Amino acid sequence: MKHMHIAFTHQDSKRIVIGIDGGGTHTRAIAARMDGTIIGDVQTGCCNPNKDERAEEHVKDAIVSVLERADAVAEDVAGLCAGLAGIETEEDLSWAESFTSVPGIACPKKLVNDSYVAHAGAFLGEAGIMAISGTGSVVFGLNEQGRLLRNQDFHHYAGAARHLAFDCVYRILAGYAGEEDQGLVTEVLHYWKVDSVAQLYEQGMEGFALGVHEQMRMFGKMGPIVTRAAKEGSPLAMHVCTQLADALDIGVRLIGAGFAEEQVQVAFMGSVIQDDYIAGLLTERLIRHIPGSKQYQVVQPCLSPTIGAVWLALKECGASIDASVMNHLEQGC
């Protein structure tokens, strides 16, 4: 990346940018000066209107709150980048624009899917693959020609926390739990506040929870139970985790097939894929040699997704990003 020196004026000292990383669980907003210094950081709830009826409120609250934390006003904002889960098509930009419309903010905006800001933070505009699995899941790549590639464009979906939990519960109800899985079964029953598998079955007949949003929330929160049980040796949990790792491996290789170079960098993001057990399974799969497939190198992201959004906001308003700015951004991760 080419770094350029930028001179800041007194007026610049009052100007700020806002970067937002919104997912299915939390929306995080960061305010930064034009020199990359972080001056505000807040977290609110889910930003995805498909998963939370209060999604718009959460995004607007994040913007207003981060302005307060930064001791700034809306008119100070020179650039804003929001990576929001749920932005999938051009039509989604209309609700995203509404979600980020706060009185007084009249600056260039970049509205993208949350996977885009994660990729920007990880690779700073360079080629690479971001594999995400947490509340949601996507495998997202930017190849050497700058072409965006997503596994969902192929109708492939690797799975997220709730899918681990769904698969686990289905297998318990179907009778797959053996003697070595009894610790897992006990924890699952306790989580769902039932006394037996038969009661869990009846709860399942009623959809497990009231409303689809509550159902998704409950299964999403259950994901760590499955990965913890896998680490402790539950065959059922290990099988479920292995299936997810296999699906993520396919997703990465599917996107990697669109790259020209033989070696492709991959970064992980999200509570599930960054779990030590899942990360280990997936890394083992990616580094093995498969004739006809690319070679993959698992790397750590350069910046967090939210700082990636700040980086994009700086670029969006035309700020030059030199080594000093990058140093300030890195300190904010």
PDB file of all heavy atoms in Angstrom, residues 8-15:
ATOM      1  N   PHE A   8      -2.512  18.259   8.719  1.00  0.00           N
ATOM      2  CA  PHE A   8      -3.799  18.551   9.314  1.00  0.00           C
ATOM      3  C   PHE A   8      -3.871  20.012   9.739  1.00  0.00           C
ATOM      4  O   PHE A   8      -2.929  20.562  10.310  1.00  0.00           O
ATOM      5  CB  PHE A   8      -4.040  17.652  10.537  1.00  0.00           C
ATOM      6  CG  PHE A   8      -4.216  16.214  10.166  1.00  0.00           C
ATOM      7  CD1 PHE A   8      -3.136  15.341  10.238  1.00  0.00           C
ATOM      8  CD2 PHE A   8      -5.432  15.733   9.732  1.00  0.00           C
ATOM      9  CE1 PHE A   8      -3.285  14.018   9.878  1.00  0.00           C
ATOM     10  CE2 PHE A   8      -5.589  14.412   9.377  1.00  0.00           C
ATOM     11  CZ  PHE A   8      -4.529  13.547   9.446  1.00  0.00           C
ATOM     12  N   THR A   9      -4.998  20.629   9.437  1.00  0.00           N
ATOM     13  CA  THR A   9      -5.231  22.011   9.818  1.00  0.00           C
ATOM     14  C   THR A   9      -6.006  22.052  11.117  1.00  0.00           C
ATOM     15  O   THR A   9      -6.468  21.033  11.618  1.00  0.00           O
ATOM     16  CB  THR A   9      -6.026  22.741   8.721  1.00  0.00           C
ATOM     17  OG1 THR A   9      -7.342  22.163   8.660  1.00  0.00           O
ATOM     18  CG2 THR A   9      -5.350  22.596   7.366  1.00  0.00           C
ATOM     19  N   HIS A  10      -6.180  23.258  11.652  1.00  0.00           N
ATOM     20  CA  HIS A  10      -6.982  23.410  12.877  1.00  0.00           C
ATOM     21  C   HIS A  10      -8.402  22.915  12.636  1.00  0.00           C
ATOM     22  O   HIS A  10      -9.006  22.280  13.507  1.00  0.00           O
ATOM     23  CB  HIS A  10      -6.985  24.875  13.304  1.00  0.00           C
ATOM     24  CG  HIS A  10      -7.877  25.132  14.489  1.00  0.00           C
ATOM     25  ND1 HIS A  10      -7.565  24.678  15.750  1.00  0.00           N
ATOM     26  CD2 HIS A  10      -9.078  25.778  14.595  1.00  0.00           C
ATOM     27  CE1 HIS A  10      -8.526  25.034  16.599  1.00  0.00           C
ATOM     28  NE2 HIS A  10      -9.457  25.700  15.915  1.00  0.00           N
ATOM     29  N   GLN A  11      -8.929  23.197  11.436  1.00  0.00           N
ATOM     30  CA  GLN A  11     -10.289  22.732  11.126  1.00  0.00           C
ATOM     31  C   GLN A  11     -10.354  21.216  11.100  1.00  0.00           C
ATOM     32  O   GLN A  11     -11.323  20.603  11.553  1.00  0.00           O
ATOM     33  CB  GLN A  11     -10.742  23.307   9.789  1.00  0.00           C
ATOM     34  CG  GLN A  11     -12.202  22.966   9.438  1.00  0.00           C
ATOM     35  CD  GLN A  11     -12.621  23.576   8.119  1.00  0.00           C
ATOM     36  OE1 GLN A  11     -11.819  24.140   7.394  1.00  0.00           O
ATOM     37  NE2 GLN A  11     -13.894  23.466   7.809  1.00  0.00           N
ATOM     38  N   ASP A  12      -9.294  20.575  10.570  1.00  0.00           N
ATOM     39  CA  ASP A  12      -9.259  19.116  10.521  1.00  0.00           C
ATOM     40  C   ASP A  12      -9.332  18.500  11.907  1.00  0.00           C
ATOM     41  O   ASP A  12      -9.849  17.401  12.080  1.00  0.00           O
ATOM     42  CB  ASP A  12      -7.964  18.626   9.843  1.00  0.00           C
ATOM     43  CG  ASP A  12      -7.980  18.865   8.341  1.00  0.00           C
ATOM     44  OD1 ASP A  12      -9.059  18.774   7.748  1.00  0.00           O
ATOM     45  OD2 ASP A  12      -6.909  19.153   7.789  1.00  0.00           O
ATOM     46  N   SER A  13      -8.798  19.204  12.911  1.00  0.00           N
ATOM     47  CA  SER A  13      -8.745  18.648  14.257  1.00  0.00           C
ATOM     48  C   SER A  13     -10.140  18.412  14.824  1.00  0.00           C
ATOM     49  O   SER A  13     -10.310  17.625  15.748  1.00  0.00           O
ATOM     50  CB  SER A  13      -7.949  19.578  15.182  1.00  0.00           C
ATOM     51  OG  SER A  13      -8.645  20.810  15.368  1.00  0.00           O
ATOM     52  N   LYS A  14     -11.154  19.092  14.288  1.00  0.00           N
ATOM     53  CA  LYS A  14     -12.522  18.910  14.756  1.00  0.00           C
ATOM     54  C   LYS A  14     -13.283  17.899  13.912  1.00  0.00           C
ATOM     55  O   LYS A  14     -14.335  17.409  14.325  1.00  0.00           O
ATOM     56  CB  LYS A  14     -13.265  20.254  14.737  1.00  0.00           C
ATOM     57  CG  LYS A  14     -12.685  21.310  15.681  1.00  0.00           C
ATOM     58  CD  LYS A  14     -13.555  22.545  15.743  1.00  0.00           C
ATOM     59  CE  LYS A  14     -14.909  22.243  16.348  1.00  0.00           C
ATOM     60  NZ  LYS A  14     -15.745  23.453  16.499  1.00  0.00           N
ATOM     61  N   ARG A  15     -12.769  17.588  12.744  1.00  0.00           N
ATOM     62  CA  ARG A  15     -13.450  16.645  11.856  1.00  0.00           C
ATOM     63  C   ARG A  15     -13.156  15.208  12.295  1.00  0.00           C
ATOM     64  O   ARG A  15     -12.061  14.881  12.745  1.00  0.00           O
ATOM     65  CB  ARG A  15     -13.013  16.861  10.406  1.00  0.00           C
ATOM     66  CG  ARG A  15     -13.372  18.232   9.854  1.00  0.00           C
ATOM     67  CD  ARG A  15     -12.726  18.462   8.509  1.00  0.00           C
ATOM     68  NE  ARG A  15     -13.297  17.593   7.489  1.00  0.00           N
ATOM     69  CZ  ARG A  15     -12.587  16.952   6.561  1.00  0.00           C
ATOM     70  NH1 ARG A  15     -11.272  17.039   6.560  1.00  0.00           N
ATOM     71  NH2 ARG A  15     -13.181  16.195   5.662  1.00  0.00           N
TER      72      ARG A  15
END
